[in-house]
Amino acid sequence: MKKIALLAIIAFTALSTSALAQKSNKKSMKKVLFVVTSNDKLGNTGEKTGFWSEEFAAPYYELLDQGVEITIASPLGGQPPIDPKSADPSSATEDTKRFDADKVLQEKLKHTLKLSSVNQKDYDAVFYPGGHGPLWDLVEDRNSIALIEAFYTHKKPVAFVCHAPAVLKNVKVDGQYLVKGKKITGFTNEEEEAVGLTKVVPFLLEDALASNGGIFSKGPNWAPYAVEDGLLITGQNPASSKLVAGKLLQKLK
């Protein structure tokens, strides 16, 4: 009888230890909020836009594979638009192929949270993938502006790639533009000219951030390039997505 009781105690202790370990692991798991555009109109061209799939997929899997929990939000909630050009087979990468085949993620994207419902206190960092879509909604979105400010003032990393740094255009901290005096990069004037959209976009990202006091730097067109300045991480173009994710991972450790 004593032996049975002892075994029962050992089993209970093991279960309790396992439950506590799982609870501890869940508590220690880093959480990152991804914010994507809800805009699918490329200005007045009649063409479609949205977020660029590689700029979403590469960082998503880079973080996910390291045990980071990811939540996705957008201004309108629900299914965000994907730039059709980024879904073209000629733009495919291993990450976008994985993205296309990932039924769990595709279902998750159908149910993005409404941006107005999220709070920085629930996450350890925020990441914005680009695409031209954000230029028309997230740049002016009050919830996005307030969210970035909240992450930054609570000493949490804020990361952006390609056109996404444009959403910093109206973000201020203590009355000053967040980018003022900060090293920053993003989709360059030359790259915008190369894709023929200089006259379509509402403003040129490079000019706008430099005008707000950002110390803008860049690498060769289409080459991976990312810069980090304290909590602020930015990447130049789609090829820079993994660089940004890697820098963000280092910040989270």
Side-chain angles (χ1 to χ4, degrees), residues 33-220:
L33 178 70
F34 273 43
V35 179
V36 294
T37 182
S38 289
N39 172 58
D40 69 349
K41 294 179 177 63
L42 188 63
N44 298 317
T45 64
E47 295 181 32
K48 293 293 186 182
T49 188
F51 71 84
W52 197 262
S53 59
E54 182 184 4
E55 295 166 26
F56 177 96
Y60 183 89
Y61 292 120
E62 192 80 2
L63 296 172
L64 185 75
D65 292 346
Q66 293 299 316
V68 175
E69 185 180 322
I70 300 167
T71 299
I72 312 168
S74 61
L76 299 179
Q79 178 69 55
I82 299 172
D83 191 307
K85 289 179 182 174
S86 73
D88 189 285
S90 64
S91 301
T93 65
E94 289 307 309
D95 290 307
T96 60
K97 290 174 186 175
R98 182 177 173 185
F99 172 82
D100 291 338
D102 192 337
K103 289 183 168 43
V104 172
L105 177 53
Q106 299 305 328
E107 189 62 29
K108 190 174 179 180
L109 274 168
K110 290 178 185 176
H111 307 284
T112 67
L113 299 179
K114 213 166 186 177
L115 200 51
S116 59
S117 72
V118 300
N119 192 311
Q120 62 78 24
K121 69 180 178 62
D122 298 319
Y123 307 96
D124 299 293
V126 66
F127 170 74
Y128 283 69
H132 282 88
L135 296 175
W136 282 275
D137 65 349
L138 288 170
V139 171
E140 305 294 338
D141 189 285
R142 292 295 156 194
N143 293 308
S144 176
I145 293 167
L147 191 70
I148 295 167
E149 181 184 349
F151 269 94
Y152 194 82
T153 55
H154 284 84
K155 311 299 182 191
K156 296 178 180 180
V158 291
F160 312 82
V161 71
C162 200
H163 281 89
V167 306
L168 292 163
K169 181 174 180 279
N170 297 310
V171 179
K172 292 183 177 181
V173 173
D174 297 328
Q176 298 285 338
Y177 287 113
L178 188 153
V179 300
K180 186 176 181 181
K182 303 277 194 319
K183 290 181 284 187
I184 193 166
T185 191
F187 205 63
T188 67
N189 291 354
E190 285 183 10
E191 287 169 321
E192 200 69 79
E193 187 173 348
V195 298
L197 294 174
T198 300
K199 304 297 184 185
V200 173
V201 293
F203 61 91
L204 293 174
L205 179 156
E206 181 180 340
D207 290 349
L209 297 185
S211 176
N212 285 352
I215 304 168
F216 197 94
S217 63
K218 53 193 172 184

Side-chain angles (χ1 to χ4, degrees), residues 226-228 233-234 242-252:
V227 296
E228 178 182 339
I233 304 166
T234 49
K242 280 197 175 183
L243 274 178
V244 171
K247 288 179 179 294
L248 180 56
L249 273 171
Q250 287 303 311
K251 289 285 186 191
L252 292 171

